[in-house]
Amino acid sequence: MIQAEHITHSFGEKKILEDISFTVEKGEVIGLLGPSGAGKTTLVNILTGQLKASGGNVKVLCGDGKTLKTGIMMDSFGLYERLSVWDNLRIFADIYRVSAGRIENLLDRTGLRQARNTMVSKLSKGMRGRVNLCRALLKEVDILYLDEPTSGLDPATTWKIHQLIEEESQSGTTVFLTTHNMHEAEELCDRVMLLNEGKIVEQGTCEDICTRYNTLDEIEVTLKDGEKHVIRNAQESEGVLAEWIRTERILTIHSSEPDMERVFLSITGRRLSD
């Protein structure tokens, strides 16, 4: 559905993106992971037509020839501070030519019904985020771009937004998610791309990437008496592991593949949360 080919972009002498190429399939949830300043928002601005790339091409394709509908949720999208939640959404519903019933449904899905008559200026950051997500979903979209949708939000609000993203994905919406939260990416994304200093340094499923960087190749075993052992994932460990299993002593057993945070650190020398 999305084809990016050799995207580059600079602001003056500063290069922000360098030779970015990828594809996104219909109905896929793809995550763009990287620390602040990696170029994530710039790339989303290019994909959504808000910014023209210095070089390369972006193609948004649809096999049946229909016009694709896009929803965008970004921090930089302002709301009308002196208007209520309802009035904000009604303005955009009129622009998009969707019914007020669509607003009612979204207020229920985002838990905003009690705040429908509250002025936006009185909302918390988490509630503003939910209003922005409602606005992005007023149209029944084909592609949903979410730029750091849960940044700085409390766990309960984050969980609610994750639910909404999963619901949209299950209904067939293609989701392009930027985040620096590895747990969010692991929970929501079919594939991820790791972006560092304007370059994609790795991509694939979270499981495949972590497996590729499992350099330790060890097994950590915790026994029921509290003892912890780290053994090599090799034939030499077969005897002791078999004995623990035979005597039913194992409480937990874990392989040593790293999480996405450790993978990113090993590739770039930086943390995703930097």
Side-chain angles (χ1 to χ4, degrees):
M1 181 166 280
I2 304 172
Q3 288 185 356
E5 300 173 340
H6 308 294
I7 299 298
T8 62
H9 194 72
S10 300
F11 292 117
E13 297 296 318
K14 185 175 182 181
K15 184 166 285 188
I16 305 299
L17 298 173
E18 185 174 349
D19 197 25
I20 301 292
S21 297
F22 61 88
T23 60
V24 182
E25 301 297 329
K26 178 175 172 56
E28 189 174 29
V29 181
I30 190 161
L32 183 66
L33 276 74
S36 297
K40 301 189 300 296
T41 299
T42 299
L43 181 55
V44 171
N45 284 336
I46 291 170
L47 294 176
T48 55
Q50 300 174 76
L51 185 66
K52 183 174 175 58
S54 302
N57 296 292
V58 174
K59 299 176 182 177
V60 180
L61 310 171
C62 186
D64 58 10
K66 72 173 184 176
T67 301
L68 294 178
K69 296 180 181 179
T70 299
I72 308 171
M73 177 187 176
M74 302 181 75
D75 267 350
S76 59
F77 279 15
L79 298 168
Y80 295 103
E81 296 284 321
R82 293 187 177 184
L83 297 182
S84 68
V85 170
W86 170 265
D87 288 337
N88 266 273
L89 295 176
R90 186 55 191 261
I91 288 172
F92 287 95
D94 288 345
I95 292 171
Y96 299 147
R97 298 181 181 179
V98 299
S99 71
R102 179 76 174 168
I103 301 176
E104 298 288 354
N105 176 264
L106 287 168
L107 290 175
D108 287 334
R109 290 176 65 194
T110 56
L112 286 172
R113 175 159 295 282
Q114 291 186 334
R116 59 177 287 156
N117 295 319
T118 303
M119 281 198 305
V120 165
S121 61
K122 297 181 179 180
L123 298 179
S124 66
K125 181 177 180 180
M127 294 182 78
R128 285 170 180 255
R130 280 185 276 172
V131 176
N132 261 328
L133 184 56
C134 283
R135 183 172 62 177
L137 293 173
L138 277 172
K139 299 176 289 182
E140 293 186 356
V141 299
D142 299 294
I143 306 175
L144 182 61
Y145 294 94
L146 302 174
D147 188 21
E148 303 281 2
T150 60
S151 178
L153 302 186
D154 62 89
T157 304
T158 295
W159 179 77
K160 191 70 177 178
I161 289 179
H162 284 183
Q163 274 193 315
L164 288 169
I165 294 171
E166 289 176 342
E167 288 171 8
E168 288 301 310
S169 171
Q170 290 168 5
S171 71
T173 302
T174 302
V175 180
F176 192 98
L177 170 72
T178 74
T179 182
H180 61 260
N181 185 329
M182 64 168 183
H183 299 296
E184 185 164 76
E186 289 171 343
E187 180 178 344
L188 297 175
C189 298
D190 299 308
R191 288 189 299 123
V192 297
M193 302 181 293
L194 304 185
L195 187 71
N196 183 57
E197 296 181 348
K199 299 178 181 179
I200 294 178
V201 295
E202 186 59 273
Q203 58 182 307
T205 68
C206 289
E207 182 179 0
D208 286 346
I209 292 173
C210 291
T211 300
R212 285 201 294 273
Y213 287 85
N214 184 11
T215 57
L216 293 176
D217 201 20
E218 295 174 337
I219 299 172
E220 181 181 292
V221 180
T222 301
L223 302 181
K224 292 179 180 178
D225 62 7
E227 287 186 14
K228 291 187 177 182
H229 300 268
V230 178
I231 60 177
R232 290 188 60 201
N233 184 17
Q235 187 174 357
E236 65 192 55
S237 304
E238 178 183 4
V240 66
L241 188 59
E243 177 62 17
W244 288 334
I245 293 172
R246 186 185 67 81
T247 56
E248 300 181 354
R249 294 181 62 194
I250 294 177
L251 179 65
T252 64
I253 183 167
H254 299 284
S255 54
S256 61
E257 66 269 12
D259 58 23
M260 294 300 297
E261 185 78 54
R262 287 168 58 193
V263 169
F264 194 83
L265 181 62
S266 70
I267 296 173
T268 68
R270 305 175 63 188
R271 299 178 67 88
L272 280 167
S273 54
D274 282 350

